[in-house]
Amino acid sequence: MRIRRFCTALAVVPLVASCAAQAVPEPTATQRPGYLAAADPALPPGGTVELQMPVDTGAAGGLDPQLADVAVSWQLMSLVYETLVTVGPDFEPLPGLAERWETPSPTEYVFHLRPGVTFSNGRAMTAADVVGSMNRLLAGEGVWRTQIGPVESVTALDPATVRFRLSSPYTPFLSALANTPAAVLPMTEVENGSVDLTKTMLGTGPFVDTFHRQDVLWRFKRRPDYWAPGKPAADAVNISIVPQEPTRIASLQNNSANLAVLGNVDAPQVLAGVRGVTVRAQSTTDFYYLMLNSNAPGGKFADPRVRTAINIAMDRAQIAQVATNGLGKPTGVTPVDLPDACDPATLPSATAGLDRARQLLAEAGVRNLKFVITAYATEPAPAVAQVIQQNLARIGIEVTIEQLDEGSWAGKVYGSVPAGFDAALSWFAGYAGAGMVAKWWNPEQAAFNLGFMKPNPELNRVIDAAAARPDGPDRAPALRELCTAVDTDAQMIPLVTRPVLVGYRHDSVSPTVYATEGYGNAFRGLADFRLVGRP
Amino acid sequence: MRLVSWWVRRLVSAVLTLFVVSVLIFAASRLMPGGFAEVVLGPFATPEQRAAMSEKYGLDQSLFAQYGLWLSAALHGDLGTSLLSGEPVAGEFGLRIPVTVELTLLGIGAAVLIGVPLGVYTAVRAGKRGGGALGRLAGGLGVSVPEFVLGSLVVFVFSRYALGLTVGGYRPLGEDLGANLRSMVLPAAVLSVFAIAVTARTTRDAVMNVLVEPYITASVARGETSLFIIGRHVLRNASIPILVVLTSTTAYLLGGAVIVEHLFNLPGVGSYVVQAVGRRDYAVVQAGVLLAAVVFVVLNMLSDAASGVLDPRFGTDRKANR
C-alpha cells in the first residue's frame, strides 16, 4: 500500500510542478528598440554574473587580440580590450576610446582620444599606444590586417590625437576599427617585454581577467578605475565553458546560470513555459554558405553553368524555415541585416526558376550528377545540408551528406591544395560593414580559398569597388552589383543568416543584448548587466 | 620463488601492454583526419604560420622521431605540452585528476555500499518471493542502460526539478564542500548504476556459491545468526570475485567518467581528453590514453595482489593450473 502511494506521489508531483511552472513575463522595463534586452538601470549594481558559452577561445595565437580570428575570441577579449570606436545596435559607429573623430577627406580620419583612460595596470593610454597598436596590427599576420583596409600611415598629432591616412577610400574602415583585433594595446609594456599578450590580457576595458582554465572557466572582476562612470555594474563575471547544449539548458532551468548562449534552434520551444526563463533569437550578420570546389575531382564544378544551376536550385527561404526554425534569413553576400544590403530575392539565382537550372545542366552536358556535401556535425549544419539535398533533387542532382567532426572537416576542406572535396558547408562571420566579408571571395587575398576556388578578376574588381564606394545613394547599386557578381560566380554560395539564441533568467539578471550582432558578441553589453533580486 | 616469478611475468606483461598501447595511441592520434594546424590555426592561417607551428611542436619530424621523443619524455615524467594552451600536460592533468578521482570514488563507493548488500540480499532471498525479481530488475536495468541515455534523462529531469542538486555547476571540493557534493551527486549516481548492478550480480553469484558449502550448513546447525554467518563465513569466502569485479569496475568507471563528465560538464580528465581529440591536441590525447592504460594495468595488479593476500593460493594456484 505504501509503495502504491509512493508511486502515485512520484507521478503526481512533477505534473503539479509543471502546471505551477507557468511563464513569468519579462519586465517591460528591460525591452528597448534595437535590443533583445536592456539592463534596468534602477536595479542596484554589484554581484557576480554567471554566464555559459559552448566553446572557449582556441586560437594558437593565445590571448593576443590581433591574432584572434573567431567570434568567440572577440567575445571574451572584448571584456578586457577596447577599440577606438564601437558599433551601436544599428551598426552605426559610436565613440569608444576616441570620443570623437573627423574625416577631412575620404582617405583621412582624425581621432580625438578620450581623456582619463587607463590600462588595468594604471598607466594612462596615449596616442603612442594607438599608433603602436595599429602598426603592430598592420605588420602582423592576423586576419584583421586585411579587413582594416588600405591604411597607409598612422600618426600621433599630439598625445591625444591620432591621424590615419588610407591609400584609397575604404567605407568599412570605422566598422573594421570597431572589432576587437583593432583594440588599443599597452604598447609600452609590449615593446619593453613586460607583457606577453599571448598569455596575459592587459587592456583598457571594464574587466580584468583573474582566472582562466582552458575549456573550463573564465573569471573576470570589475575595474574600479574604469573610465565610464558607473560601469561595469557587476562586481564580477564568471563565464563557464559548457559544450553540452542540454547542460546549458539545464543550468538555465535550475538557475545556476544567469545567461547562456544556445545553439539549438529548437531551444525556444524546449524552454517555453519555464518559469523565469526568456529565450531570444539574436540576428547576426553571420551566414551559411555552400562551397563548390572548382578543382573537384572529375571537374564536377569546373563549368560555371553547373554551379549556376545548383545556385538556382537553392531554396533559401526553405533552408531558413526548416533548418533554422525560421530564425535565419535568406541572404546574399552582403549580410541581409546590414544597412544597404542587397535583397536576396532579386538575385539572378532567385529569379531564374528551376527550368533554367535544368537547361543549364543540359547545356553543360551533365546528366545524373552526384556529389558529396561535407558538413560538420554541429547543428544546424546537418539540417542545412539536408534541405540542400532536397533542393537539388528537384533538378535531378543526387547529393550524399558526409558529416564530420570539425577537425576532420577542417582537414578535408583546408588541408590540401587543390582541395579534394566536392562541396562543403560552412559559415562566415558577416562583420559590421556591408561588403567586408566579400573580401573572402577573392582567393588571392583570402589564401585559404585557393584550394577550391579560382580567382575571378571581374569579381575582385567589384569587391574592391563596393568597399571604396562612400555611403550614400550610390552605395546600394554597388552592393547590388557585388551580390550579383558573387551569385553568378557561384563558387561560394551565400545561403541564410545564422541566428544565435540567448537564454537568460529574467528573474535573476537584467542583461543588455543587441537584437542584431555583427561580430558575434552576445556579451557586448556585459558592463551594463545588473542582477535582479539583490538588496 | 614461484610467486616471485609470477610477479615478474606480471610486470613484464604490464610493460609490454603499455608499450603496445603507446604505439597504438600514437598511431591513432596521427591517423585522425584533420591536423592541429587546420583546427586551431583555422582557415585564415598562412602556410608560413602552419609551418612555424609544426616546427615549434616537432610535428614536421618523421613519425618515428616524434614517437621516440614523446616516449622518451614520457618515461622521464614529461607528458609534453598542450598544443592549444601551451601549458605542460602533466600540470593540466594535475588540475583535473581530482575531479575524475572524486567522481570514480563516489561511483565505486556506491557500488560497495549498495551493490554488495543488494547482492547478498538477492542471494539470500533466491528462490523466495521478491528476491530473484529484484535482483534481475536491478541487474538488467543497470547493465543495459548506457550512461549517455541515463545521464541525458537525469539532466532533463533534474533541470526541471533540481531538488537542491545542480547540473553543470561544478565547484571544487576545497572551495565549497556542499556545493561540490550538490554538483557531484547526480553524475556519480549515473556513473554508479552500472557498477552497482555488476557488483550486485557478482556478489549474488559468489554468495550463492558459498551458501551451498557444507560449512554453512554446519553453521546453521550450530544455531549461529544469519548476520554472523554472512559476515564471518559468506563474505570472507566470496570476497575474491567481489574484489576482482570492483577493481575491473573501477577501471570501467574511469572510462565511463569520460561520458558523464562531458554530460554534466565536470572539468575532469575525461572531458579534457574528449575536447583535446576535437582540437587534435595530440599531446593531451596521447597522455590521457596512456594514463588510462597505466591506471588499468595498475588496478589489475593491485587486484591480483589483494587477492593473494585474501587467499594465498591465488598466485600459486594459477601457476599450478598451467
Side-chain angles (χ1 to χ4, degrees):
Chain A
M1 190 61 192
R2 248 185 284 171
I3 290 174
R4 194 178 297 167
R5 274 188 204 156
F6 177 71
C7 292
T8 310
L10 267 185
V12 167
V13 166
L15 276 176
V16 172
S18 64
C19 291
Q22 288 169 358
V24 175
E26 187 184 1
T28 51
T30 64
Q31 295 167 11
R32 252 168 69 187
Y35 292 79
L36 286 182
D40 183 353
L43 292 166
T48 299
V49 180
E50 299 284 348
L51 306 177
Q52 292 189 354
M53 56 194 291
V55 287
D56 202 347
T57 52
L63 303 177
D64 187 338
Q66 294 189 342
L67 297 177
D69 57 6
V70 293
V72 68
S73 299
W74 304 336
Q75 198 169 20
L76 288 159
M77 292 174 185
S78 69
L79 302 182
V80 172
Y81 289 107
E82 292 180 307
T83 45
L84 286 175
V85 296
T86 185
V87 286
D90 297 319
F91 298 101
E92 72 278 18
L94 297 176
L97 293 177
E99 60 180 357
R100 60 190 170 84
W101 60 89
E102 296 110 31
T103 312
S105 77
T107 57
E108 191 177 358
Y109 292 78
V110 178
F111 294 93
H112 302 273
L113 304 184
R114 188 181 295 280
V117 176
T118 58
F119 291 101
S120 57
N121 63 357
R123 184 175 69 76
M125 182 197 76
T126 67
D129 292 305
V130 179
V131 174
S133 300
M134 293 306 141
N135 286 334
R136 183 176 182 269
L137 176 65
L138 295 168
E141 293 188 321
V143 65
W144 216 244
R145 180 185 55 171
T146 306
Q147 289 293 344
I148 205 79
V151 177
E152 198 173 67
S153 67
V154 189
T155 316
L157 300 180
D158 62 51
T161 313
V162 178
R163 182 180 64 202
F164 286 71
R165 283 193 195 280
L166 311 183
S167 58
S168 59
Y170 183 64
T171 304
F173 181 60
L174 290 175
S175 301
L177 268 189
N179 198 19
T180 305
V184 177
L185 307 175
M187 288 310 295
T188 303
E189 288 80 355
V190 171
E191 283 163 2
N192 69 21
S194 61
V195 167
D196 177 0
L197 290 179
T198 62
K199 295 186 183 303
T200 307
M201 295 207 285
L202 176 62
T204 61
F207 295 99
V208 286
D209 80 298
T210 57
F211 176 84
H212 175 217
R213 188 181 297 171
Q214 181 70 36
D215 295 324
V216 178
L217 179 69
W218 287 83
R219 286 197 175 119
F220 296 91
K221 70 174 184 184
R222 78 185 296 269
R223 280 188 58 196
D225 55 344
Y226 184 56
W227 56 265
K231 288 188 180 185
D235 292 329
V237 175
N238 293 336
I239 300 181
S240 301
I241 311 301
V242 183
Q244 292 291 316
E245 179 94 359
T247 311
R248 272 175 278 137
I249 287 177
S251 301
L252 277 177
Q253 287 178 310
N254 65 28
N255 205 6
S256 55
N258 298 125
L259 182 147
V261 177
L262 304 172
N264 184 350
V265 292
D266 295 323
Q269 283 76 39
V270 173
L271 285 163
V274 177
R275 193 178 184 85
V277 173
T278 294
V279 181
R280 296 280 176 84
Q282 185 180 51
S283 295
T284 73
T285 60
D286 308 345
F287 59 84
Y288 288 97
Y289 66 98
L290 182 67
M291 288 168 253
L292 296 178
N293 182 2
S294 300
N295 302 319
K300 287 176 181 170
F301 307 115
D303 189 327
R305 290 173 294 187
V306 179
R307 301 198 303 266
T308 301
I310 289 171
N311 193 9
I312 289 170
M314 293 292 117
D315 185 342
R316 290 172 175 78
Q318 190 183 45
I319 296 171
Q321 190 57 45
V322 176
T324 73
N325 201 13
L327 303 173
K329 300 169 191 169
T331 187
V333 69
T334 57
V336 71
D337 280 320
L338 285 171
D340 290 337
C342 58
D343 179 1
T346 63
L347 293 174
S349 63
T351 54
L354 291 179
D355 286 340
R356 175 65 182 149
R358 294 186 192 101
Q359 185 190 351
L360 284 168
L361 288 177
E363 285 173 10
V366 171
R367 291 180 196 282
N368 304 320
L369 177 62
K370 296 179 183 176
F371 70 89
V372 177
I373 292 183
T374 304
Y376 46 79
T378 311
E379 288 291 351
V384 173
Q386 282 174 354
V387 181
I388 292 173
Q389 184 183 45
Q390 290 161 16
N391 285 169
L392 293 179
R394 300 181 303 174
I395 57 169
I397 294 176
E398 188 180 327
V399 168
T400 305
I401 298 169
E402 174 186 48
Q403 277 191 51
L404 301 176
D405 73 288
E406 292 194 35
S408 305
W409 181 92
K412 186 156 189 176
V413 176
Y414 301 118
S416 61
V417 178
F421 67 92
D422 287 344
L425 188 68
S426 185
W427 62 272
F428 274 132
Y431 310 135
M436 282 176 77
V437 68
K439 280 179 179 288
W440 305 146
W441 264 256
N442 178 347
E444 286 155 335
Q445 279 191 355
F448 64 89
N449 292 353
L450 274 171
F452 59 88
M453 193 173 184
K454 288 188 167 54
N456 178 339
E458 174 57 16
L459 176 57
N460 294 346
R461 184 194 66 74
V462 175
I463 292 168
D464 292 339
R469 196 69 59 91
D471 283 329
D474 288 345
R475 182 161 167 76
L479 293 174
R480 260 203 310 280
E481 190 184 2
L482 168 64
C483 287
T484 302
V486 165
D487 193 64
T488 307
D489 181 70
Q491 295 187 79
M492 291 200 293
I493 301 173
L495 298 169
V496 295
T497 58
R498 177 178 167 274
V500 168
L501 289 152
V502 179
Y504 59 95
R505 300 281 317 193
H506 62 251
D507 56 359
S508 69
V509 69
S510 179
T512 292
V513 184
Y514 282 7
T516 310
E517 242 305 319
Y519 292 124
N521 194 350
F523 301 156
R524 185 179 290 280
L526 194 48
D528 294 324
F529 279 32
R530 291 186 184 237
L531 294 170
V532 177
R534 283 176 51 78
Chain B
M1 190 60 199
R2 225 188 283 170
L3 190 65
V4 171
S5 76
W6 183 80
W7 273 104
V8 169
R9 281 202 308 278
R10 205 72 184 74
L11 279 171
V12 170
S13 157
V15 170
L16 277 175
T17 304
L18 291 176
F19 174 72
V20 172
V21 166
S22 73
V23 172
L24 287 177
I25 184 55
F26 187 86
S29 69
R30 293 306 195 275
L31 286 173
M32 282 191 289
F36 175 75
E38 283 84 28
V39 177
V40 175
L41 288 177
F44 297 115
T46 61
E48 292 76 24
Q49 286 172 308
R50 288 167 197 262
M53 178 59 69
S54 293
E55 189 184 347
K56 181 179 174 186
Y57 289 107
L59 300 175
D60 56 342
Q61 298 184 37
S62 73
L63 283 182
F64 285 111
Q66 287 184 51
Y67 174 74
L69 288 171
W70 171 65
L71 189 64
S72 162
L75 289 173
H76 289 87
D78 177 5
L79 296 177
T81 303
S82 164
L83 304 186
L84 185 64
S85 67
E87 300 292 333
V89 174
E92 297 279 316
F93 276 15
L95 294 168
R96 290 162 168 89
I97 281 175
V99 180
T100 305
V101 169
E102 185 189 354
L103 183 64
T104 307
L105 286 179
L106 286 171
I108 208 69
V112 172
L113 293 175
I114 301 172
V116 173
L118 187 63
V120 172
Y121 174 76
T122 52
V124 171
R125 296 281 301 172
K128 298 175 187 170
R129 195 178 166 207
L134 179 67
R136 279 194 298 276
L137 184 71
L141 276 179
V143 172
S144 59
V145 180
E147 278 102 355
F148 71 89
V149 172
L150 185 64
S152 300
L153 191 67
V154 166
V155 166
F156 173 73
V157 172
F158 281 84
S159 60
R160 297 300 291 261
Y161 316 107
L163 305 179
L165 304 172
T166 55
V167 176
Y170 174 78
R171 288 285 177 271
L173 193 64
E175 195 176 280
D176 185 337
L177 177 63
N180 172 271
L181 289 178
R182 282 197 295 279
S183 65
M184 293 297 273
V185 165
L186 292 176
V190 170
L191 188 64
S192 66
V193 166
F194 175 83
I196 290 170
V198 169
T199 308
R201 276 186 161 194
T202 306
T203 305
R204 176 180 178 273
D205 293 345
V207 168
M208 285 178 75
N209 284 340
V210 176
L211 285 176
V212 296
E213 293 287 343
Y215 56 84
I216 300 295
T217 312
S219 285
V220 174
R222 283 197 298 272
E224 291 170 350
T225 64
S226 299
L227 275 179
F228 180 81
I229 293 170
I230 288 168
R232 174 83 180 177
H233 302 301
V234 176
L235 279 181
R236 174 177 285 188
N237 288 295
S239 58
I240 289 184
I242 298 173
L243 184 70
V244 169
V245 80
L246 282 174
T247 314
S248 59
T249 306
T250 304
Y252 170 85
L253 290 184
L254 284 167
V258 171
I259 295 162
V260 173
E261 284 175 9
H262 196 54
L263 265 176
F264 288 87
N265 204 50
L266 298 177
V269 174
S271 54
Y272 182 48
V273 174
V274 167
Q275 284 167 318
V277 171
R279 300 267 182 81
R280 305 296 190 263
D281 198 343
Y282 301 128
V284 174
V285 177
Q286 289 162 197
V289 179
L290 192 64
L291 184 70
V294 168
V295 169
F296 191 83
V297 167
V298 169
L299 280 174
N300 271 314
M301 291 182 72
L302 285 176
S303 165
D304 289 349
S307 300
V309 169
L310 287 167
D311 182 353
R313 296 168 302 169
F314 186 75
T316 52
D317 278 352
R318 187 172 288 193
K319 171 69 181 174
N321 288 340
R322 287 182 180 174

